[in-house]
Amino acid sequence: MKLFRSKQPGPPCNDMENLLNGVADGSVRGLARLFTLFHVAHCSHCGTYLQTLRAMVGALRGIKKEPMPEETLARLQGKVREASALESDS
Amino acid sequence: MSSIKFEQVATEELPVLYRMAKRMTRNATDAEDLVGQTLLAAAKGWSGFDGRYPRTWLIKIMTNVNLSNFRRQESRVEETILEDHEPAAAHDPWIDLDVKLVGDRIIGELDRLPEEYRMAVALCDVEELSYEEAGAAMNVPIGTVRSRLARGRRMLRDRLSHLMGPNPI
């Protein structure tokens, strides 16, 4: 694998995609993370890729901050109680 | 499972279950039905649950319930396909009205991903489950979670590239 590529826009380096994904979501740590960040610092393809991945993962994590509609929550709580009664009977 | 109460666990996990059901069904009404079916199945199986990772356990039940619903629907379609020759609409214009805002747009594009990629992204990125937990919920090994997640993110990123910054690839 070539460590760096020219600073032209384009897709990330093939062997880097899993590492970039891991850095974006925090699952890659330690030396692998340092290696990836070092690579990113010198490779604009992977740098741009990581930047957009981080933005996207951040936006996806924000989805769950939206509260559930109150009527829906009330109906589902009713279903929990129904299921709970079934569980108590069994 | 006597040490923790079913009602307490299920109530705590309701928002996650509802979001996951929406990702699976892509429809609020069907999502509520799916949560209801999941709760009934979970209540029946509660005595056999070991108490570890209730979220993963509930999502796994939901995945199985959704799969059996899908199979049932598929067999119904096979039964009626000879009678009904109306072509299905290729694109629902109402979906476009629902994705005006960025958040809605992201959800909209996420819901358009093929199921295995949609589930990987929803479990790992939206619900922030670990790869191990997501693998357990989807009944697949961690390597499969990793590859589905990478592929799903790539597809989503391509579809959202105009929203993600000044210099999209």
Side-chain angles (χ1 to χ4, degrees), chain B:
Chain B
M1 184 68 250
S2 55
S3 60
I4 48 174
K5 291 251 180 216
F6 170 80
E7 189 169 346
Q8 185 192 341
V9 169
T11 303
E12 279 172 12
E13 297 298 337
L14 271 183
V16 176
L17 290 177
Y18 181 65
R19 278 195 302 271
M20 286 309 300
K22 276 183 88 175
R23 297 287 79 72
M24 289 181 193
T25 61
R26 294 178 280 190
N27 171 309
T29 310
D30 291 345
E32 277 194 50
D33 290 343
L34 179 57
V35 173
Q37 288 175 293
T38 302
L39 291 169
L40 289 176
K44 283 181 194 166
W46 185 249
S47 57
F49 172 50
D50 64 8
R52 290 184 302 157
Y53 308 116
R55 180 170 298 174
T56 308
W57 182 72
L58 288 167
I59 293 172
K60 191 172 180 174
I61 291 173
M62 180 179 278
T63 306
N64 292 335
V65 170
N66 187 48
L67 188 65
S68 61
N69 286 349
F70 178 73
R71 285 182 182 144
R72 207 173 306 131
Q73 277 171 358
E74 227 177 19
S75 66
R76 262 187 234 137
V77 169
E78 278 172 18
E79 284 165 16
T80 55
I81 203 157
L82 292 172
E83 298 160 22
D84 184 7
H85 294 282
E86 283 292 314
H91 179 70
D92 181 355
W94 290 100
I95 289 173
D96 288 335
L97 291 176
D98 195 35
V99 291
K100 289 190 294 290
L101 303 171
V102 173
D104 287 347
R105 185 66 193 262
I106 291 170
I107 295 171
E109 292 298 346
L110 175 60
D111 285 351
R112 287 188 182 88
L113 293 182
E115 182 159 13
E116 65 256 44
Y117 307 118
R118 187 169 75 240
M119 294 313 297
V121 173
L123 289 169
C124 296
D125 286 345
V126 180
E127 302 305 337
E128 297 183 56
L129 262 59
S130 68
Y131 292 179
E132 289 84 354
E133 289 170 317
M138 292 191 289
N139 282 324
V140 296
I142 292 174
T144 307
V145 175
R146 215 183 290 276
S147 61
R148 285 183 184 179
L149 183 61
R151 178 91 190 272
R153 282 176 180 167
R154 201 186 313 141
M155 292 165 86
L156 194 57
R157 181 180 153 278
D158 290 345
R159 294 173 189 199
L160 294 169
S161 57
H162 57 290
L163 294 173
M164 301 312 293
N167 298 311
I169 291 171

Side-chain angles (χ1 to χ4, degrees), chain A residues 4 6 10-14 19 21 24 39 42 47 51 53-55 57 60 63 65-66 69 73 76 84 86 90:
Chain A
F4 305 118
S6 63
C13 303
N14 283 338
L19 287 170
N21 271 288
H39 175 92
H42 296 84
Q51 196 184 347
L53 263 182
R54 277 176 165 159
V57 170
L60 286 164
I63 289 175
K65 289 176 188 145
E66 291 172 23
L73 181 63
L76 291 179
S84 188
L86 184 82
S90 62

